[in-house]
């Protein structure tokens, strides 16, 4: 399957496009409309994105993974130097928020680009056709 947009122009990898929030059609950094919301249309090329919906699929898995990492790091710090509770709050609350938002942004971008490149659409039952 070709790895570039229409017209044969070079296109970044799915991971790079997801990380930078690039439009799958023109490559402009217009995929997101806010920290986690995928824009309905590309501000650069007008590409309609309403047919693709990644939903909140990555949220549960990502939250569990980040929770495990944060708990392991917090316990390691606790057993190594026994800091006061406020140190944990100052360290782990912002770290967790940044990791969840950044991770969800990347995961949503990754799934969106994978859907677009593979032409995935919502399923239809045979008797609904």
């Amino acid at each position: 399957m070709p790895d570039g947009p229409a017209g044969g122009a070079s296109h970044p990898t799915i991971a790079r496009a997801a990380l930078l929030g690039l439009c799958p059609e023109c490559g402009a950094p217009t995929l997101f409309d806010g920290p986690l919301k995928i824009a309905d249309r590309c501000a650069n090329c007008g590409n309609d994105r309403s047919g693709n919906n990644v939903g909140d699929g990555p949220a549960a898995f990502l939250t569990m993974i980040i929770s495990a990492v944060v708990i392991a790091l917090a316990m390691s710090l606790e057993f190594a130097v026994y800091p006061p509770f406020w140190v944990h709050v100052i360290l782990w609350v912002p770290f967790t928020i940044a990791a969840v938002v950044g991770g969800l942004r990347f995961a949503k971008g990754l799934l969106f680009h994978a859907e677009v490149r593979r032409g995935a659409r919502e399923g239809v039952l045979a008797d609904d056709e």
Side-chain angles (χ1 to χ4, degrees):
M1 180 166 273
D3 200 32
S10 176
H11 205 286
T13 64
I14 290 177
R16 180 172 163 75
L19 187 63
L20 299 175
L22 304 179
C23 172
E25 201 60 36
C26 68
T30 59
L31 182 62
F32 291 98
D33 182 25
L36 294 174
K37 183 183 182 302
I38 293 179
D40 295 331
R41 289 190 154 323
C42 175
N44 190 45
C45 69
N47 181 25
D48 182 21
R49 300 178 180 142
S50 60
N52 298 83
N53 181 16
V54 297
D56 293 326
F61 294 111
L62 189 67
T63 301
M64 286 189 286
I65 292 167
I66 290 171
S67 297
V69 169
V70 169
I71 289 169
L73 291 172
M75 288 177 66
S76 298
L77 179 67
E78 178 65 28
F79 295 135
V81 295
Y82 299 103
F85 180 71
W86 62 267
V87 171
H88 285 292
V89 173
I90 289 175
L91 282 175
W92 305 120
V93 170
F95 177 81
T96 303
I97 291 169
V100 168
V101 171
L104 275 175
R105 186 174 169 97
F106 177 74
K108 283 181 130 183
L110 196 69
L111 289 174
F112 184 83
H113 279 277
E115 274 186 9
V116 169
R117 290 200 181 171
R118 287 165 180 76
R121 294 285 181 255
E122 195 168 324
V124 177
L125 297 174
D127 55 341
D128 287 346
E129 293 181 40

